[in-house]
Amino acid sequence: MFTNFIILYPLVMTMIWIIGSLMYQFRKNTDISITEQIEGVSILIPCFNEQDHLEKTVRSLVEQQHRKIEIVLIDDASVDNTLDVMNKLKKIYKDIKIEVVKLQKNSGKAAAMNEGIKFINYKYVLCIDADSLINTYAIDQLVSTLNKNPQLGAVTGKPQTINRNTMIEKMQAMEYTAIIDLIKRSQFFFTGRILTLSGVIALFRKEAIESVSGWDPNVQTEDIDITWRLSEKSFYTGYNPEALTWILVPHNFRSLLKQRLRWAYGGLQMLIKNRKRLLLPFKAETWLLYEMIVSIFWSFITLISSLFFFINIYLSNELHLDGNIILIIILTGLAQFIVGLFINKSTSKIRWFVFLYVPLYLFFYWLVNLYAIVTAVFKLVYAPKNNGRWASPKRIVD
């Protein structure tokens, strides 16, 4: 029974992602009206030691088609020259209002944004990371989504990777194209909301942020946390894959595991905070919580089953693998990746030969998530951490 569950769960979820993504793709409407162009947008960029990336990020904002913007740069007590770069950018781009906010104590991304929002003037608030390079029409696309969906309190865009030199970086490029994007498309199509905003790029209604008193500085993943606190106030969160941003990802396995452990830990914090919603089975967000619980259960069952599998090999000196099951898993993953490339053919910039990596990519994705979830559960039980201090992985630009 458990063997069937271990195999069927990822296969079923993959099919749901594929179907939901294709349905979303066929019904999408990406027209931008003149209304989007006249909406004012305040941009928050929290920074901690971002002297090497900030200038390019601000330049991508200055080059936006959307002209009615203001930028708030928040230096969270950096120990490099980030503050000097901020002041230089303020002098260079005199045509755009740029506010520089200096924090005396390092308190984390959430605390930095809570401070920065005190200086904004517009009803739309864009939050991006200091190493995020957003496409020319990204702000207009996000504003358009909020204008067309009054029930949304926030909308997130689609990240794509910049650095793709190492095998770990290539695997993440495939993941953002064929898994993360498809998951968010299918969630938004089936439920009208998503499980979590992407912290690298998210546009909020100011009133939505104020309704939950800003970001919580005591959680590991402020983007997951605010997604669910917004839903408590009847503000849903949406997804617009046309709003593209290019990001730097961890360049080695150790940095990647550290990042994914933080994500998984933040997800568990959110699950515990929202556990009472499990008693409301007819709510769309409840089904997203149920799916998260199933994924945790799958992780532990898979881990235990794998241990017995290797013990059996050791004791019997025989290796038994079902070739048909392996073939089905590879073909399903290949179908998912083909759909991801088809949907993102104009933006993914992934070459055809990456199809050769699909078996490795499947193993890579599920192994990383298995490690992250299992480790996060033990960490939450035995070594809980209640602060959201900066823990950015090392990133290398091509």
Side-chain angles (χ1 to χ4, degrees):
M1 180 182 70
F2 287 134
T3 300
N4 292 334
F5 171 69
I6 290 171
I7 296 170
L8 288 176
Y9 171 70
L11 292 180
V12 170
M13 293 309 302
T14 297
M15 294 308 301
I16 291 174
W17 299 339
I18 290 174
I19 294 171
S21 298
L22 290 174
M23 295 298 290
Y24 174 93
Q25 183 72 9
F26 292 143
R27 79 166 192 180
K28 71 176 183 178
N29 179 5
T30 60
D31 293 337
I32 300 175
S33 69
I34 192 64
T35 305
E36 278 77 68
Q37 303 288 337
I38 62 176
E39 295 283 7
V41 176
S42 301
I43 303 170
L44 300 182
I45 309 180
C47 302
F48 178 66
N49 295 345
E50 294 289 357
Q51 64 177 18
D52 297 329
H53 309 115
L54 182 58
E55 189 166 351
K56 291 182 180 178
T57 298
V58 172
R59 187 184 308 131
S60 75
L61 295 171
V62 172
E63 294 173 352
Q64 283 288 298
Q65 182 69 23
H66 195 101
R67 304 307 303 167
K68 193 174 181 181
I69 64 172
E70 62 178 5
I71 302 173
V72 180
L73 304 174
I74 312 108
D75 177 36
D76 192 22
S78 297
V79 295
D80 64 358
N81 295 320
T82 295
L83 184 61
D84 293 335
V85 173
M86 289 179 174
N87 290 323
K88 183 183 76 171
L89 292 170
K90 183 174 182 178
K91 293 178 180 178
I92 293 175
Y93 301 112
K94 296 180 179 179
D95 294 337
I96 295 178
K97 181 182 177 182
I98 297 180
E99 187 78 33
V100 175
V101 180
K102 168 65 176 175
L103 303 185
Q104 299 302 316
K105 180 182 177 182
N106 178 260
S107 302
K109 182 178 179 181
M113 291 191 294
N114 285 335
E115 187 66 27
I117 202 172
K118 298 176 183 178
F119 297 87
I120 70 171
N121 297 291
Y122 297 131
K123 70 175 185 178
Y124 285 145
V125 184
L126 178 67
C127 300
I128 67 171
D129 284 353
D131 61 351
S132 180
L133 308 178
I134 68 175
N135 274 18
T136 306
Y137 289 92
I139 293 180
D140 285 334
Q141 295 285 3
L142 294 173
V143 172
S144 176
T145 301
L146 289 187
N147 283 340
K148 293 173 183 176
N149 299 275
Q151 79 279 10
L152 295 181
V155 58
T156 195
K158 179 176 70 177
Q160 291 279 263
T161 65
I162 298 175
N163 47 326
R164 302 182 182 185
N165 286 331
T166 68
M167 181 60 70
I168 293 298
E169 292 169 349
K170 288 182 172 67
M171 292 294 103
Q172 290 174 86
M174 297 171 70
E175 181 186 11
Y176 276 97
T177 296
I179 294 185
I180 294 177
D181 178 54
L182 267 61
I183 289 175
K184 281 184 164 50
R185 287 175 187 260
S186 59
Q187 286 179 352
F188 197 35
F189 175 79
F190 286 123
T191 69
R193 65 212 71 183
I194 58 175
L195 183 63
T196 173
L197 295 165
S198 294
V200 294
I201 178 171
L203 181 72
F204 296 83
R205 299 184 195 276
K206 183 181 179 182
E207 61 176 306
I209 299 174
E210 292 174 340
S211 73
V212 295
S213 302
W215 292 268
D216 186 349
N218 297 314
V219 297
Q220 291 287 290
T221 48
E222 82 294 330
D223 44 7
I224 299 176
D225 177 75
I226 198 169
T227 301
W228 287 84
R229 288 194 293 117
L230 285 175
S231 68
E232 292 177 351
K233 302 295 183 180
S234 298
F235 285 111
Y236 302 140
T237 50
Y239 181 54
N240 188 334
E242 303 299 318
L244 191 66
T245 185
W246 295 91
I247 63 172
L248 294 169
V249 294
H251 74 286
N252 59 44
F253 200 56
R254 182 179 179 181
S255 296
L256 177 66
L257 291 180
K258 183 178 179 181
Q259 179 198 63
R260 298 310 166 89
L261 175 57
R262 183 174 62 85
W263 289 3
Y265 189 90
L268 290 175
Q269 285 183 315
M270 176 275 296
L271 179 61
I272 292 173
K273 289 177 68 173
N274 291 275
R275 60 188 180 276
K276 292 183 179 179
R277 297 196 190 194
L278 297 172
L279 303 176
L280 304 172
F282 300 107
K283 296 285 188 178
E285 56 265 27
T286 303
W287 288 102
L288 297 177
L289 291 177
Y290 286 153
E291 193 279 319
M292 185 176 182
I293 291 174
V294 173
S295 71
I296 295 172
F297 180 70
W298 175 88
S299 298
F300 277 90
I301 292 298
T302 301
L303 178 62
I304 295 171
S305 178
S306 298
L307 290 175
F308 279 108
F309 175 75
F310 287 113
I311 291 173
N312 182 64
I313 292 175
Y314 176 77
L315 294 177
S316 65
N317 291 319
E318 293 181 357
L319 176 61
H320 298 285
L321 293 175
D322 191 325
N324 291 327
I325 292 177
I326 295 175
L327 180 61
I328 291 173
I329 293 174
I330 291 177
L331 289 178
T332 305
L334 186 61
Q336 175 185 340
F337 191 59
I338 290 173
V339 171
L341 275 186
F342 168 74
I343 292 175
N344 297 289
K345 57 182 179 294
S346 62
T347 59
S348 67
K349 297 183 179 180
I350 294 179
R351 299 178 181 178
W352 66 269
F353 63 79
V354 296
F355 284 108
L356 301 174
Y357 295 143
V358 167
L360 178 61
Y361 147 84
L362 295 174
F363 177 76
F364 164 85
Y365 175 76
W366 291 109
L367 179 64
V368 168
N369 282 275
L370 175 63
Y371 162 84
I373 291 176
V374 172
T375 306
V377 169
F378 282 103
K379 182 179 178 182
L380 187 67
V381 173
Y382 296 108
K385 186 176 182 180
N386 295 314
N387 70 73
R389 296 286 178 84
W390 296 87
S392 299
K394 292 182 179 180
R395 302 148 297 174
I396 295 180
V397 183
D398 290 355

